[in-house]
Amino acid sequence: TTLCATTPSDTWFFADGFTGADSVETILMTNPFSDATVVDITFVTKDSEREPANLQGYVIPAYTTIALPMAEQGARNEPILAVSITASSGRLVAGRVQHYLGQGRLGYAVSLGAPRAATQWWFADGEKLPGVSEQLVIFNPGDVDRQLSVVFLNGATAENALEPALVTAPAHRVTVLETGSLSTLPDGRYGIVVGVNDLDATNDTGIVVEQVINRRVGDTVGTSVILGTPGDAVSTKWSAPSGVSLGVDDALVVVAADHGVAFTPGEGIRSITGGNWSEIMWVPLFVKWPDQQAGRTSDCPVQGFDVLPMVMAATGLDPGWELDGTNPEAACPSRSEEHTSELQSRGLISYA
């Protein structure tokens, strides 16, 4: 899950990008307006800041989402990769899709960018625990080096704050703080506040901070990336629209969608064209059965009304009537043209 944007912006920043071990990073830029948006895109690697000519004055047509694979922009196998997007005309919403394939990171991460830099960033949950590594990835998009303090909160009051770590964030560069290397930081969980110390009236440019956590379980690793909360957005009330409770090992988890998604450069992410229809027409369905430990892929022609029979089979319940669908775990559905036509006439399936 990831946050949604409440408003478009003319700037977007991503502190933690990663294409090491051929990992895939894709920047998604959405223009929800009736006029084209024009942006300049730069990115920072471990060694330099780059401004590719083809990404300056880049046009995002009206009502369009553009997928920009960073490896195709010359940022292949980069363990550090920050991205800045600045609109010279119009506004947009920008997000990032990551598929981690190695070098200490595995899994998928989807996140919204930061619509602005800030002078203070908060993280509610830091971890220094066995099997867990944590990094604070700090991107300074400004023209002036910044002196930062990183405060760790491990109690209910300000008196429980540890002595802050002092960090220099050079201009137009990425700085990585390995929290596990701090000898003064005790094991356990804590809150984190990253703030700029050297603000003055002439320059109040902020930074962007993301938290990267790698959790090792057995022989595998799971990677999560979280954008902090700007200091001026701290609130006395928070709502969590979704969550996963304990005991998911013996649960049936179903994630469904009503369409696929395309990542072909230059094509729409959802609107069907001759160049992307094969990606959009395949609708994803993810199912984790109770106590399932290993994943697999099925080519069975499953449809939406097959989900209920799966739930009935997993729970051992009897619906009390004949179901139209089939549990694909028991038998791959086989549907005749006549059966499909009958379901369509009853409004159970439709075609655009």
Side-chain angles (χ1 to χ4, degrees), residues 289 292 294-298 328-329:
W289 289 87
Q292 180 180 352
R296 59 186 175 85
T297 302
S298 171
E329 186 72 1

Side-chain angles (χ1 to χ4, degrees), residues 255-318:
V255 181
D258 63 348
H259 61 85
V261 64
F263 294 102
T264 302
E267 299 285 353
I269 194 171
R270 179 173 176 178
S271 301
I272 295 178
T273 69
N276 67 11
W277 67 269
S278 61
E279 296 177 271
I280 294 177
M281 294 300 289
W282 290 100
V283 179
L285 176 66
F286 301 93
V287 180
K288 187 204 78 66
W289 289 87
D291 300 316
Q292 180 180 352
Q293 298 298 319
R296 59 186 175 85
T297 302
S298 171
D299 291 327
C300 287
V302 177
Q303 293 180 274
F305 49 77
D306 294 322
V307 172
L308 182 56
M310 284 192 287
V311 174
M312 295 294 102
T315 58
L317 298 176
D318 182 358

Side-chain angles (χ1 to χ4, degrees), residues 34-189:
S34 58
D35 295 320
T37 294
V38 181
V39 298
D40 296 325
I41 303 171
T42 63
F43 59 89
V44 173
T45 65
K46 181 180 179 180
D47 301 317
S48 64
E49 182 179 39
R50 307 182 197 177
E51 300 180 356
N54 63 308
L55 299 182
Q56 309 310 302
Y58 192 93
V59 178
I60 306 173
Y63 305 124
T64 299
T65 296
I66 298 292
L68 194 70
M70 293 307 298
E72 297 180 10
Q73 314 309 316
R76 185 182 300 276
N77 287 319
E78 296 287 355
I80 290 177
L81 182 57
V83 178
S84 298
I85 304 172
T86 303
S88 58
S89 174
R91 293 178 297 157
L92 71 155
V93 176
R96 178 185 60 208
V97 178
Q98 287 264 196
H99 183 190
Y100 301 113
L101 298 172
Q103 291 188 10
R105 297 192 185 194
L106 291 175
Y108 292 86
V110 180
S111 57
L112 189 69
R116 58 187 173 88
T119 57
Q120 193 177 77
W121 292 90
W122 291 65
F123 297 88
D125 187 25
E127 299 181 42
K128 187 179 181 182
L129 298 169
V132 177
S133 66
E134 178 186 62
Q135 296 175 325
L136 295 177
V137 181
I138 304 164
F139 175 38
N140 179 2
D143 298 327
V144 178
D145 295 355
R146 284 304 193 196
Q147 303 302 315
L148 314 177
S149 62
V150 182
V151 179
F152 298 91
L153 308 172
N154 63 345
T157 64
E159 289 72 22
N160 295 108
L162 303 176
E163 186 70 21
L166 302 180
V167 178
T168 298
H172 300 283
R173 287 292 182 268
V174 175
T175 303
V176 179
L177 176 63
E178 299 273 0
T179 58
S181 66
L182 299 174
S183 59
T184 58
L185 181 62
D187 290 352
R189 293 180 177 271

Side-chain angles (χ1 to χ4, degrees), residues 209-294:
V209 187
E210 290 188 276
Q211 177 194 48
V212 181
I213 293 182
N214 291 293
R215 295 180 176 87
R216 178 167 292 279
V217 179
D219 296 330
T220 190
V221 172
T223 301
S224 62
V225 180
I226 299 174
L227 176 67
T229 298
D232 57 2
V234 174
S235 176
T236 59
K237 181 178 180 180
W238 290 88
S239 299
S242 65
V244 178
S245 62
L246 297 177
V248 295
D249 288 345
D250 60 353
L252 173 70
V253 180
V254 180
V255 181
D258 63 348
H259 61 85
V261 64
F263 294 102
T264 302
E267 299 285 353
I269 194 171
R270 179 173 176 178
S271 301
I272 295 178
T273 69
N276 67 11
W277 67 269
S278 61
E279 296 177 271
I280 294 177
M281 294 300 289
W282 290 100
V283 179
L285 176 66
F286 301 93
V287 180
K288 187 204 78 66
W289 289 87
D291 300 316
Q292 180 180 352
Q293 298 298 319

